[in-house]
Amino acid sequence: MSAHTITVAGVAVDTRHWIGGERVASAQTFPDVSPIDGSTIGEISRGTAMEATAAVAAAKAAFPAWAATSRAERARVLHAIADGVEKRIEELAIVETTDNGALLRSHRRGVMPRVAHNFRFFADWLLKLEHEDFETRGHSNHVSWDPAGPCVLITPWNAPLMLASWKVAPALAAGDTVVLKPAEWSPLTASLLADIAAEAGLPAGVLNVVQGYGSEIGDALTSHPDVRRISFTGSVPTAKRIAESAAANLTPLSLELGGKSPLLVFADADLDLAVGLAVEQYDNAGQVCLAGTRLLVEESVAEEFTRRFVEKASALKQGDPRDEATDVGPNIHPRQLEKIDGFVQRAVAAGARAVIGGHRGDGQYYAPTLLTDVAQDSEIVQEEVFGPVLTLQTFADEDEAVRLANGTRFGLAATVATGDPERAERVTARLVAGTVWVNCFFVRDLRAPFGGSRLSGVGREGGTWSFDFYCDVKNTVTAPNGWTNHG
Ligand code: NAD
């Protein structure tokens, strides 16, 4: 075992970058800290422009051969990566939980199997990817998806491997090569993915992983002229910075950003279902981009809804995310905790009432919080908190519900609880959101488009949309009897 390898809950993790099929150490490191108990897990190679440039060069060198690899062979390697993920589900789950504090049981049973599925899905989609040829005055039109080149993929800490796989899998399937830059607060599973991909036979340089602070390594990646696509999931301020940097080369961007999504509860809804959906918004300690953090409840049922909500939310068990019985784990970092508490205390000072929570717990935990008496234009209603904090507002009718729901700068998702299918259709049509769930939440099929409107993002991922982004889509028009001499 190298001096650069750490053992995380019994799993060996290399702390160096993965560039051109080799482990590369930086001169400096940064500490990776577990949100469970604040302990330092290890010192991680801290990349700079030098490693960023080397990784893009490796991706560029590997591109021609990988792009020329047959679809069947690319699909085979992606399935082999999925096999490798499946074999290591337990290891990936415990490393991710130690690193970002999300629930072990959900990593084990939901997230990691889903990561494997993501690789299989894009492998299979690649094999079916086609557009029917069509004719224009006797000329045939043939649409093809050409690999675009090296891609930079930048991911956040709240669902590290899951979000990486949404990007890495379609990019590799498309025939592109990749530089993956995981978040500095949870870099470990990206390193394990590099191991798994190498074991699966992915050629050197096709997947590269560089670690470090975004502020130190980010610009060198996103402004690089050899990079053909940038896919980013993270916050709005970082996205603006990346867009400026990418503008130098007009590098196409996919941006999956924050949200302030509404959850609308109409009086005709199954109230227990609606309460269940609302309490689900505390999942991952509220660190979910899609979370419906703004509860909008019809006046006539607001009191009863609140009573049932408080009863259910108060029963949530907060604690160690490795414990099977835990419902709500820690928040990622002391800085994030301060940010969450700052939002709540400013809201309370502005007149909000904490029906439950409203304060920190022990260590890095924040009590699940519900705030009422909040104004539509207040900070707590308009800005993403990214913690276990929900607001509750009431509405008198459908028009007001839609006005409140659409009344932020975001448009990532919306959830509607109603027992009336016609109302569901009317309201859904008026909501500004990339995804609307009716009487359900968090159902995500990779065939479906996924992304945000307004400040929640640019572009869509999933199915054909992912291939459209990661490829140069080409139309070839051939003349009637195209091969003969028309002279
Ligand atoms: P962040 O923007 O702080 O960081 C995200 C990534 O960007 C990290 O890897 C970071 O190192 C990197 N980065 C920082 N500065 C950079 C720069 N100048 N150039 C290049 N890269 C840079 O976001 P975060 O706090 O890690 O994640 C939380 C945010 O992510 C929330 O806003 C959440 O809503 C959003 N999110 C969105 C989705 C979605 O699909 N829409 C999913 C998950 C999270």
Side-chain angles (χ1 to χ4, degrees):
M1 212 159 76
S2 126
H4 298 281
T5 304
I6 54 173
T7 305
V8 184
V11 182
V13 184
D14 201 305
T15 59
R16 293 169 292 182
H17 314 283
W18 175 249
I19 299 174
E22 286 179 9
R23 290 289 173 180
V24 176
S26 287
Q28 289 192 309
T29 61
F30 65 94
D32 183 27
V33 174
S34 175
I36 300 176
D37 55 10
S39 62
T40 299
I41 305 170
E43 290 290 328
I44 311 296
S45 271
R46 177 171 167 178
T48 62
M50 192 172 81
E51 290 86 353
T53 309
V56 173
K60 186 182 180 188
F63 175 68
W66 182 245
T69 303
S70 71
R71 284 186 176 196
E73 173 59 9
R74 294 205 300 262
R76 190 193 65 72
V77 176
L78 286 178
H79 276 293
I81 295 175
D83 293 342
V85 170
E86 274 167 2
K87 261 192 235 133
R88 300 189 69 178
I89 279 178
E90 284 298 314
E91 295 182 12
L92 292 164
I94 186 65
V95 170
E96 196 86 295
T97 291
T98 310
D99 208 10
N100 86 337
L103 298 187
L104 180 60
R105 65 176 149 92
S106 85
H107 280 154
R108 252 186 196 145
R109 295 201 274 276
V111 175
M112 296 309 165
R114 187 66 194 237
V115 168
H117 169 74
N118 292 345
F119 280 97
R120 295 200 192 288
F121 171 87
F122 284 107
D124 293 342
W125 196 280
L126 170 68
L127 298 180
K128 323 186 277 226
L129 187 66
E130 63 176 349
H131 192 294
E132 224 173 281
D133 288 357
F134 53 99
E135 262 191 38
T136 312
R137 297 188 306 276
H139 300 63
S140 75
N141 289 258
H142 176 70
V143 176
S144 56
W145 284 262
D146 294 353
C151 302
V152 164
L153 312 179
I154 302 174
T155 48
W157 45 262
N158 64 322
L161 194 58
M162 167 67 95
L163 295 173
S165 66
W166 279 5
K167 299 179 190 304
V168 172
L172 297 184
D176 294 343
T177 53
V178 160
V179 178
L180 171 64
K181 154 63 186 92
E184 52 270 38
W185 285 349
S186 59
L188 301 181
T189 47
S191 178
L192 293 178
L193 179 64
D195 292 341
I196 290 169
E199 282 159 21
L202 191 72
V206 175
L207 169 68
N208 305 276
V209 178
V210 289
Q211 304 153 155
Y213 294 117
S215 55
E216 294 179 354
I217 192 171
D219 280 350
L221 292 169
T222 54
S223 65
H224 200 296
D226 291 334
V227 170
R228 295 285 173 256
R229 297 289 185 276
I230 299 167
S231 179
F232 169 76
T233 299
S235 65
V236 171
T238 307
K240 289 183 179 175
R241 177 78 198 249
I242 289 175
E244 274 175 33
S245 169
N249 305 298
L250 288 181
T251 311
L253 286 172
S254 161
L255 303 173
E256 302 282 0
L257 311 178
K260 194 73 188 176
S261 300
L263 192 165
L264 295 82
V265 179
F266 287 93
D268 56 23
D270 172 337
L271 219 52
D272 280 333
L273 172 82
V275 166
L277 294 173
V279 172
E280 245 187 88
Q281 310 307 317
Y282 291 130
D283 277 4
N284 208 8
Q287 301 166 135
V288 176
C289 57
L290 296 161
T293 50
R294 292 187 296 131
L295 309 181
L296 306 177
V297 184
E298 192 160 350
E299 275 164 12
S300 58
V301 292
E303 204 178 313
E304 180 59 13
F305 174 89
T306 307
R307 193 187 64 72
R308 293 195 210 178
F309 178 91
V310 169
E311 192 178 303
K312 202 170 174 73
S314 304
L316 291 173
K317 189 170 175 301
Q318 191 164 29
D320 191 319
R322 294 166 295 193
D323 183 343
E324 274 285 314
T326 296
D327 299 304
V328 182
N331 289 100
I332 183 81
H333 194 275
R335 275 220 310 271
Q336 185 67 15
L337 207 64
E338 254 169 54
K339 195 177 139 198
I340 295 166
D341 198 44
F343 274 118
V344 171
Q345 299 319 323
R346 287 192 297 278
V348 169
R353 186 168 67 86
V355 180
I356 55 168
H359 54 83
R360 293 168 187 238
D362 292 336
Q364 237 162 261
Y365 293 80
Y366 203 86
T369 296
L370 178 68
L371 299 173
T372 57
D373 303 329
V374 292
Q376 177 66 13
D377 61 356
S378 63
E379 179 192 58
I380 196 70
V381 170
Q382 293 295 323
E383 299 297 328
E384 183 184 47
V385 176
F386 225 55
V389 178
L390 310 181
T391 57
L392 190 149
Q393 295 167 273
T394 60
F395 61 83
D397 56 25
E398 223 170 87
D399 278 347
E400 191 182 11
V402 171
R403 187 172 56 73
L404 293 175
N406 288 342
T408 73
R409 298 174 304 156
F410 296 102
L412 190 54
T415 302
V416 182
T418 174
D420 177 351
E422 284 173 15
R423 187 201 295 280
E425 206 173 307
R426 276 195 311 273
V427 171
T428 300
R430 296 174 66 191
L431 290 173
V432 179
T435 301
V436 181
W437 285 290
V438 179
N439 294 328
C440 61
F441 178 64
F442 222 73
V443 181
R444 163 102 167 90
D445 188 311
L446 278 178
R447 289 169 295 186
F450 175 83
S453 308
R454 298 180 177 163
L455 278 190
S456 290
V458 174
R460 294 291 181 268
E461 294 187 304
T464 305
W465 292 273
S466 288
F467 284 96
D468 286 353
F469 175 71
Y470 287 110
C471 292
D472 287 328
V473 183
K474 179 189 281 170
N475 187 35
T476 303
V477 184
T478 305
N481 305 317
W483 337 114
T484 58
N485 182 349
H486 292 276

